[in-house]
Amino acid sequence: MSLVVAKFGGSSVATPERVKNIAHLLVERKSQGDDVVAVVSAMGSTTDNLIDLAKAVNAHPSGREMDNLMSTGELVSMSVLALAIEQLGEKAMGMNGRQVGIITNDDFGNAQIKEIHTDRIHEALKEGYIVIVAGFQGIDEDGDITTLGRGGSDTTAVAIAASLGADVCEIYTDVDGVYSADPRVVGKAQKLDRISYEEMLELAAAGSGVLHKRCVEFARNFDVKIHTRSSFENVPGTIVEDMIDVEKAIVSGVAYDNSEAKFTLRGVEDTQGVAAKVFNELAKRKISVDMIIQNISENGFTDISFTSPTSELENVKKILEELLTKLSARSYQINDNISKISIVGAGMKANSGVAAKMFQTLADEGINISMISTSDIRTSVVIDQTQFKHATQCLHTAFGLDGTEIFEDNTLSEQELKDKANKGR
Amino acid sequence: MSLVVAKFGGSSVATPERVKNIAHLLVERKSQGDDVVAVVSAMGSTTDNLIDLAKAVNAHPSGREMDNLMSTGELVSMSVLALAIEQLGEKAMGMNGRQVGIITNDDFGNAQIKEIHTDRIHEALKEGYIVIVAGFQGIDEDGDITTLGRGGSDTTAVAIAASLGADVCEIYTDVDGVYSADPRVVGKAQKLDRISYEEMLELAAAGSGVLHKRCVEFARNFDVKIHTRSSFENVPGTIVEDMIDVEKAIVSGVAYDNSEAKFTLRGVEDTQGVAAKVFNELAKRKISVDMIIQNISENGFTDISFTSPTSELENVKKILEELLTKLSARSYQINDNISKISIVGAGMKANSGVAAKMFQTLADEGINISMISTSDIRTSVVIDQTQFKHATQCLHTAFGLDGTEIFEDNTLSEQELKDKANKGR
């Protein structure tokens, strides 16, 4: 008998039929003797519909009232799943953020979990209930409802699993695990049986959308084993856990990210603190910056390049225009037709020459690199977006990741791939 | 400067445009110096959609989990109205049942308010917020969400007005007040400027749908002045209040109710306790009974007739079939083609002969009466439903209620009139 926390994403509970399937799955687990806590996202497009509703009455909906609104999506799916379980003759108890004891700070829209009081879940499990938790939300110290931002429901699940000391946190989605590359781009991508927290974090940061960075960090910090798997077929997925003693593949996966744009400020005087001015300005407006390059100075002038989400393009543009005057820079450039390609692998730490092999492979294929960044277990490059598929494929082959199964190339449009990169919570 | 509690029904907040209108109305009130608390129902058909969703996964959704689901409709409209007010530059604070301090018993789906702790509303008003309350809900002593059943949002509004000592509880709906009869049936119906709690209660019980019995009872018990008015035009509606010293019209209004059916158990042995057996059985299944008639015994046998909501027809039928055997009755009859016509007026107490005039008027028009019940200030009769319009009209004329304004006869279908009788919370 084990204690299982199972999280179901929006597509897994999108219709009453799917909710009924989840109910069967949970009742089955319960009948095998497990204690079961389910965490749910909002049904299907509910979240988008709520945002549309808010925008119909408020140009910039945000803050406490917006969080009140956004939290209702998960309350609905929580209740419907509980009712579906009751229909099967099992006891179910839905719990909102307050009932489940998730206390956050009051950063509405992107609240951080501070503590979890799981007494009520413990009690309900002891009384034989299947507990259904509304994901993505908590309350602050005033008792006001907060939401956790992107990846919120995953974070809820991992945080509850950590608090309860659950044996595993299962994350059910519409894909059946973590792949060595996006199967829609690399036909010979392989499902990974296991991956370390660190690799998963780098893959998430590199644009692989299966798990959010934040929930993986939480899992690593509290040593929660994650099993990410399909809610549509009963097959094993990918285990994410600490993998200290395992021999490591040099490269575990290749990821791409088409959601960023590259910004360059040209002809900036190369004096002390000039870079600080640029990035302070971006930080003040809460615009996240990924890669940064400052060119070697020439005649006392330099260029500064960075990447930020394409969704912030207009905001960054405004800042660059202000900086142009402030810093007496020559000009600025924006390129939203870029792709970030990353290779990730715990074995890179101990193996030099991996980055060099990556650059050589791309060069051999005639793919030009415009930016580079690295970490212990990741190397990322920025290339022209028209070449992202080819780059991902040839790196996948070069690092020996090709499997035998051949996925059909679904030839997703670039827009679809962008949407994929931008979706989800 | 006064303290106003304003309640908006589902049709008043059905679309973003209407929500924006309400926001303007509230901001206007606030700018006039009033403290404003708004109570909202769920937007338009939200409640029905939630019920459909529940029924798609559970044949008989009810209890704690159903209340969790049903409460979300009002949370959405609360948040959207708060966001619309923020867009106008005013401070707004949405409050759910817990935040507003409404403590109920745990009779899910039909919870009774036990106490209200308004500290947080007081504080928010003092800080200059327009407070928006999600109607229809509270929490029980375990912190579980409960809903208040039919007329719930009206009850929320009146209860909060009572707790706050508000100057008035304004109830905004899609009609502009209480009429001497349904204007869709009686062309010469008049809007009443004022009406007493008692008369309003009798009208509500008699099928007039403007205000629910429960909220009027609450208002009477706590002496809350209600102003029921239109959310679409800024004209005075009807004031419901204590009217001890006012000269009373003998009859204030005529109401009809097409939502009940008549059930008769024939040939029951007329022994002690036989009626008790019948109505105990109905009470056990929580089926409400309105009118009851037991015929004079003939040869030791009698007939028992009663009316109950048509929506319970199948359930009552089952009970009658059981009773047929238990009581060795001869047969049973069901007639769902009846109408209850009532005249209501505080002046009836002091004026004898009012009931007689009612019966005579109907007899003169060839309308047959099959059941009669009376109270201090109401007389009701059951007639054939095909005659309900004619009966309402001729009583309206006979008791001198006809006004000068002529409403068009909208000739609602019987189904529409039935729907009207069954709608709303």
Side-chain angles (χ1 to χ4, degrees), chain A residues 16 19-20 43 50 53-54 56-62 64-66 68-69 72 75-76 78-80 82-84 86-87 92-96 98-99 120 139 142-145, chain B residues 16 19-20 43 50 53-54 56-62 64-66 68-69 72 75-76 78-80 82-84 86-87 92-96 98-99 120 139 142-145:
Chain A
V19 171
K20 286 198 254 182
M43 295 173 79
L50 290 173
L53 188 54
V57 300
N58 191 308
H60 302 288
S62 66
R64 180 185 182 281
E65 308 309 317
M66 187 59 178
N68 269 336
L69 181 64
T72 61
L75 295 177
V76 169
M78 166 197 91
S79 310
V80 175
L83 287 167
E86 288 184 340
Q87 173 71 25
M93 187 179 288
M95 293 195 189
N96 60 27
R98 181 181 58 82
Q99 289 164 335
R120 194 147 184 212
I139 55 166
D142 293 332
D144 285 337
I145 291 162
Chain B
V19 171
K20 285 198 254 184
M43 294 173 80
L50 290 172
L53 188 55
V57 300
N58 190 307
H60 302 289
S62 66
R64 181 184 181 281
E65 308 310 318
M66 186 60 177
N68 270 336
L69 181 64
T72 62
L75 296 176
V76 169
M78 168 196 90
S79 309
V80 175
L83 287 166
E86 288 184 340
Q87 173 70 25
M93 186 179 288
M95 293 195 189
N96 60 26
R98 182 181 57 83
Q99 290 165 334
R120 195 147 184 212
I139 55 165
D142 293 333
D144 286 337
I145 291 162

Side-chain angles (χ1 to χ4, degrees), chain B residues 102-332:
Chain B
I102 296 181
I103 313 297
T104 72
N105 64 8
D106 64 355
D107 187 4
F108 294 109
N110 193 31
Q112 306 294 315
I113 296 177
K114 291 168 67 178
E115 44 192 299
I116 302 189
H117 305 286
T118 48
D119 318 10
R120 195 147 184 212
I121 296 191
H122 272 301
E123 202 183 309
L125 290 174
K126 217 162 60 186
E127 290 170 8
Y129 285 92
I130 295 174
V131 174
I132 317 293
V133 174
F136 181 62
Q137 57 201 278
I139 55 165
D140 66 13
E141 280 174 354
D142 293 333
D144 286 337
I145 291 162
T146 55
T147 66
L148 306 181
R150 288 183 58 147
S153 290
D154 287 1
T155 305
T156 303
V158 172
I160 287 173
S163 293
L164 292 174
D167 297 276
V168 63
C169 179
E170 300 185 342
I171 299 199
Y172 289 81
T173 69
D174 49 4
V175 296
D176 62 358
V178 179
Y179 277 73
S180 57
D182 185 338
R184 293 173 297 186
V185 167
V186 178
K188 292 182 177 176
Q190 298 180 81
K191 184 162 72 183
L192 307 176
D193 296 330
R194 302 172 69 203
I195 190 168
S196 68
Y197 297 124
E198 279 68 26
E199 288 169 306
M200 195 64 232
L201 281 173
E202 292 287 3
L203 279 176
S208 161
V210 178
L211 289 175
H212 276 273
K213 195 163 169 261
R214 203 162 148 199
C215 95
V216 181
E217 272 170 355
F218 221 105
R220 180 190 58 187
N221 295 346
F222 294 95
D223 205 17
V224 174
K225 184 163 85 177
I226 294 179
H227 183 185
T228 174
R229 56 192 303 187
S230 166
S231 58
F232 303 120
E233 334 166 64
N234 186 15
V235 292
T238 300
I239 304 280
V240 187
E241 63 185 337
D242 222 359
M243 284 169 66
I244 299 164
D245 299 327
V246 188
E247 76 247 56
K248 285 150 186 146
I250 293 181
V251 171
S252 302
V254 183
Y256 64 88
D257 185 350
N258 292 342
S259 71
E260 297 187 348
K262 181 183 166 190
F263 304 87
T264 305
L265 209 50
R266 290 210 180 280
V268 188
E269 210 173 336
D270 192 4
T271 54
Q272 274 196 338
V274 66
K277 269 183 200 150
V278 173
F279 295 107
N280 276 340
E281 212 51 50
L282 291 160
K284 262 201 300 198
R285 321 271 175 104
K286 295 196 173 181
I287 293 167
S288 67
V289 172
D290 183 15
M291 295 166 84
I292 299 176
I293 288 187
Q294 182 166 347
N295 280 3
I296 294 162
S297 182
E298 238 176 84
N299 307 323
F301 287 90
T302 185
D303 300 340
I304 297 175
S305 295
F306 59 91
T307 64
S308 282
T310 308
S311 57
E312 298 281 6
L313 198 143
E314 287 306 318
N315 295 325
V316 177
K317 195 174 165 184
K318 241 179 269 170
I319 293 172
L320 290 177
E321 273 165 7
E322 289 165 25
L323 286 172
L324 216 56
T325 329
K326 267 197 215 166
L327 303 179
S328 316
R330 201 170 66 233
S331 63
Y332 69 84

Side-chain angles (χ1 to χ4, degrees), chain A residues 192-252:
Chain A
L192 307 176
D193 295 331
R194 301 173 69 202
I195 191 169
S196 69
Y197 295 125
E198 280 69 24
E199 289 170 305
M200 195 64 232
L201 280 173
E202 292 287 4
L203 280 176
S208 161
V210 178
L211 288 175
H212 276 273
K213 195 163 169 264
R214 202 163 148 200
C215 94
V216 181
E217 273 170 354
F218 220 107
R220 180 189 58 186
N221 295 347
F222 295 93
D223 204 19
V224 174
K225 183 163 87 177
I226 294 179
H227 183 186
T228 175
R229 57 193 302 189
S230 166
S231 56
F232 303 120
E233 336 167 62
N234 187 14
V235 294
T238 301
I239 304 281
V240 188
E241 62 185 337
D242 222 0
M243 284 170 65
I244 299 164
D245 298 327
V246 187
E247 75 247 56
K248 286 152 183 143
I250 294 180
V251 171
S252 302

Side-chain angles (χ1 to χ4, degrees), chain A residues 70-241:
Chain A
M70 297 306 287
S71 69
T72 61
E74 279 74 11
L75 295 177
V76 169
S77 47
M78 166 197 91
S79 310
V80 175
L81 179 53
L83 287 167
I85 291 170
E86 288 184 340
Q87 173 71 25
L88 300 176
E90 273 290 343
K91 296 203 294 182
M93 187 179 288
M95 293 195 189
N96 60 27
R98 181 181 58 82
Q99 289 164 335
V100 94
I102 296 181
I103 313 296
T104 72
N105 64 10
D106 64 355
D107 187 4
F108 294 108
N110 192 31
Q112 307 293 315
I113 296 177
K114 292 168 66 178
E115 43 191 303
I116 302 188
H117 305 285
T118 48
D119 319 9
R120 194 147 184 212
I121 297 191
H122 273 300
E123 201 183 310
L125 290 174
K126 217 163 59 188
E127 289 171 8
Y129 285 93
I130 295 175
V131 174
I132 317 294
V133 175
F136 179 62
Q137 59 202 274
I139 55 166
D140 67 13
E141 280 174 354
D142 293 332
D144 285 337
I145 291 162
T146 55
T147 66
L148 307 181
R150 289 184 58 146
S153 290
D154 286 1
T155 306
T156 303
V158 172
I160 287 174
S163 294
L164 293 174
D167 296 275
V168 63
C169 178
E170 300 185 343
I171 299 200
Y172 289 83
T173 70
D174 48 3
V175 296
D176 62 358
V178 179
Y179 277 75
S180 57
D182 186 339
R184 291 171 302 184
V185 167
V186 178
K188 293 183 176 175
Q190 298 179 82
K191 185 162 72 184
L192 307 176
D193 295 331
R194 301 173 69 202
I195 191 169
S196 69
Y197 295 125
E198 280 69 24
E199 289 170 305
M200 195 64 232
L201 280 173
E202 292 287 4
L203 280 176
S208 161
V210 178
L211 288 175
H212 276 273
K213 195 163 169 264
R214 202 163 148 200
C215 94
V216 181
E217 273 170 354
F218 220 107
R220 180 189 58 186
N221 295 347
F222 295 93
D223 204 19
V224 174
K225 183 163 87 177
I226 294 179
H227 183 186
T228 175
R229 57 193 302 189
S230 166
S231 56
F232 303 120
E233 336 167 62
N234 187 14
V235 294
T238 301
I239 304 281
V240 188
E241 62 185 337

